[in-house]
């Protein structure tokens, strides 16, 4: 059994759970950052792994692949006025893709495990498929980030913490002698370090996107100017810098012209969106519309919607009630009533969706 070890409490606790179940566990660590901090973490990781009974921890250097396939598209998306979610791309491409494959091919592991709070279940439709489902800890549930895993990846993967809670992991860390880990939370975007995404994008140099542009209302009137479209996202209220008796919110971003469109709170709500690059989970690709509970970002409470297949990996979603800040670049994930993922894809932009 191979387990992805980041050095945090979740992956270590997941590894401990596997050992307690009688598995022979090999640690795999993914090196992705170019700032040198990974190497400091690797030293601590190896010593902690030995304390829980893992004597073999292999570091897989994926800095170049991670930069080319995750970091660069992340930056380019922001410069186009799109708000990407790098985790939903990293999981199928890098972590459960290249990284896991190296574990299978080079280190001879038979199954791949991670410290995600999610479950893998057989499809309730009895079609031979598998799907990601919500974990027991609903506050920590990470199923949203895993919707794009392929059927092959699901078959070869184990989530030991699917039935666990974050509080259980923290309690274990304190009792096992890792009290410093109990108070730490994993970073939302791992490669940013302690920087904001704006600081990160601007620190690596920009060829386009930071020259600024106009801020307009929905009638096209220029209200002011900004210092870079990468500083904004749909639904944002702070940092717009336009004086008004009633707050302005970012409603739309036009990457082609560098224009930020703002409106009032009511203007942030929409009932429809188009979702592309759809990956199907418990469902085989359907030919007819169906209802599901749709999550449009990690902290969003799933909302009831009608999913209409449009062909070529695209669906149209019509929500029962208008939803705030439906953001191009983010994932829309479709769940059934029991928290099983039916499918999901990337919210698309464009005038037709406004």
């Amino acid at each position: 059994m191979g387990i992805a070890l980041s050095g945090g409490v979740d992956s270590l606790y997941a590894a401990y759970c596997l050992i307690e179940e009688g598995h022979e566990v090999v640690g795999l660590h993914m090196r992705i950052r170019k700032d040198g901090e990974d190497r400091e973490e690797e030293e601590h990781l190896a010593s902690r792994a030995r304390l829980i009974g893992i004597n073999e921890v292999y570091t897989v250097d994926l800095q170049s692949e991670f930069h080319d396939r995750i970091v660069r598209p992340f930056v380019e998306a922001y410069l186009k006025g799109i708000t990407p979610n790098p985790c939903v791309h990293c999981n199928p491409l890098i972590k459960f893709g290249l990284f896991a494959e190296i574990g299978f091919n080079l280190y001879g592991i038979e199954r791949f495990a991670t410290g995600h709070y999610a479950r893998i279940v057989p499809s309730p439709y009895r079609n031979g498929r598998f799907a990601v489902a919500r974990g027991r800890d609903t506050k920590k549930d990470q199923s949203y980030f895993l919707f794009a895993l392929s059927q092959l990846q699901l078959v070869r993967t184990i989530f030991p913490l699917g039935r666990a809670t974050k509080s259980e992991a923290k309690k274990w860390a304190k009792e096992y002698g890792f009290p410093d880990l109990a108070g730490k939370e994993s970073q939302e975007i791992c490669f940013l370090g302690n920087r904001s995404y704006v600081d990160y994008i601007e620190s690596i140099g920009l060829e386009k996107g930071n020259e600024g542009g106009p801020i307009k209302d929905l009638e096209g009137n220029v209200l002011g100017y900004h210092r870079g479209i990468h500083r904004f996202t749909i639904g944002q209220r702070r940092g717009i810098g336009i004086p008004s008796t009633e707050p302005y919110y970012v409603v739309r971003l036009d990457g082609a012209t560098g224009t930020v469109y703002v409106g009032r709170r009511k203007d942030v709500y929409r009932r429809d969106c188009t979702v592309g690059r759809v990956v199907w989970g418990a469902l085989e690709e359907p030919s007819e519309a169906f209802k599901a509970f749709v999550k449009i970002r990690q902290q969003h409470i799933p909302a009831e919607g009608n999913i209409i297949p449009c062909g070529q990996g695209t669906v149209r979603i019509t929500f029962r009630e208008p939803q705030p800040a439906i953001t191009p670049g983010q994932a829309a994930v479709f769940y059934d009533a029991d928290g099983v993922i039916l499918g999901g894809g990337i919210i698309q932009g464009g005038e037709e969706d406004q």
Side-chain angles (χ1 to χ4, degrees):
M1 176 75 68
I3 184 163
L5 294 176
S6 65
V9 63
D10 297 329
S11 61
L12 282 172
Y13 183 47
Y16 173 81
C17 291
L18 291 173
I19 292 171
E20 286 293 288
E21 292 174 3
H23 295 283
E24 183 177 342
V25 179
V26 172
L28 301 171
H29 178 71
M30 186 166 63
R31 182 184 292 164
I32 58 174
R33 290 169 59 179
K34 295 186 176 182
D35 55 16
E37 292 186 20
D38 271 353
R39 287 154 179 81
E40 297 178 16
E41 296 171 355
E42 288 163 15
E43 295 178 5
H44 294 295
L45 173 61
S47 62
R48 285 170 171 158
R50 284 192 293 271
L51 288 175
I52 65 173
I54 299 177
N55 296 317
E56 296 176 289
V57 178
Y58 301 103
T59 294
V60 179
D61 193 331
L62 293 174
Q63 293 177 84
S64 296
E65 293 86 349
F66 187 81
H67 181 269
D68 291 345
R69 303 186 72 173
I70 305 301
V71 177
R72 182 177 295 168
F74 171 86
V75 173
E76 291 174 348
Y78 264 108
L79 300 186
K80 295 176 182 177
I82 297 169
T83 305
N85 188 319
C87 295
V88 304
H89 301 294
C90 174
N91 281 325
L93 293 176
I94 303 295
K95 182 171 287 185
F96 295 84
L98 292 175
F99 182 48
E101 287 297 331
I102 289 173
F104 290 121
N105 297 329
L106 190 59
Y107 300 113
I109 67 172
E110 296 180 355
R111 302 291 295 277
F112 180 67
T114 70
H116 286 94
Y117 290 86
R119 295 177 296 126
I120 298 174
V121 299
S123 170
Y125 297 94
R126 299 183 180 180
N127 53 13
R129 297 175 66 84
F130 289 85
V132 177
R134 282 199 303 260
R136 173 187 163 204
D137 190 336
T138 55
K139 291 184 178 179
K140 183 61 178 176
D141 170 55
Q142 295 170 303
S143 60
Y144 173 85
F145 300 112
L146 301 163
F147 79 90
L149 298 188
S150 70
Q151 290 295 300
L152 177 59
Q153 289 170 336
L154 293 177
V155 168
R156 301 193 297 187
T157 297
I158 294 177
F159 295 139
L161 303 188
R163 299 289 182 181
T165 66
K166 184 71 175 188
S167 60
E168 290 171 354
K170 289 183 175 182
K171 180 182 178 181
W172 169 82
K174 292 176 182 177
E175 294 175 347
Y176 215 83
F178 306 137
D180 57 317
L181 295 181
K184 289 184 178 180
E185 286 292 339
S186 58
Q187 297 171 318
E188 186 174 347
I189 300 179
C190 61
F191 58 85
L192 295 184
N194 295 320
R195 291 172 290 186
S196 70
Y197 77 88
V198 172
D199 290 340
Y200 180 83
I201 291 173
E202 295 180 353
S203 72
I204 62 177
L206 301 175
E207 297 179 358
K208 180 183 178 183
N210 66 335
E211 63 269 22
I215 300 175
K216 296 182 179 181
D217 63 21
L218 299 182
E219 285 71 46
N221 301 306
V222 177
L223 305 179
Y225 294 89
H226 63 82
R227 293 185 295 151
I229 200 169
H230 61 283
R231 294 170 171 262
F232 300 90
T233 188
I234 305 300
Q236 179 176 329
R237 182 173 69 87
R238 298 181 183 276
I240 296 175
I242 304 297
S244 176
T245 56
E246 184 182 347
Y248 279 113
Y249 293 79
V250 176
V251 175
R252 182 160 63 92
L253 300 173
D254 187 337
T257 63
T259 303
V260 175
Y261 288 91
V262 298
R264 303 306 184 184
R265 181 172 176 78
K266 64 179 178 60
D267 299 316
V268 175
Y269 285 78
R270 288 167 49 195
R271 189 182 294 273
D272 303 283
C273 68
T274 299
V275 176
R277 299 166 64 180
V278 174
V279 176
W280 295 103
L283 279 180
E284 295 181 5
E285 184 172 1
S287 58
E288 298 181 352
F290 63 95
K291 294 187 182 301
F293 295 91
V294 183
K295 197 170 186 177
I296 55 174
R297 53 187 165 273
Q298 168 63 0
Q299 300 303 322
H300 178 240
I301 298 174
E304 187 176 341
N306 198 39
I307 317 297
I308 307 168
C310 302
Q312 298 182 327
T314 302
V315 301
R316 184 80 177 176
I317 302 176
T318 301
F319 289 98
R320 182 175 180 180
E321 300 291 339
Q323 299 299 306
I326 301 176
T327 306
Q330 292 290 294
V333 182
F334 330 137
Y335 292 81
D336 70 9
D338 295 320
V340 177
I341 292 179
L342 306 177
I346 305 302
I347 298 170
Q348 297 183 338
E351 288 293 332
E352 72 278 3
D353 289 335
Q354 305 305 321

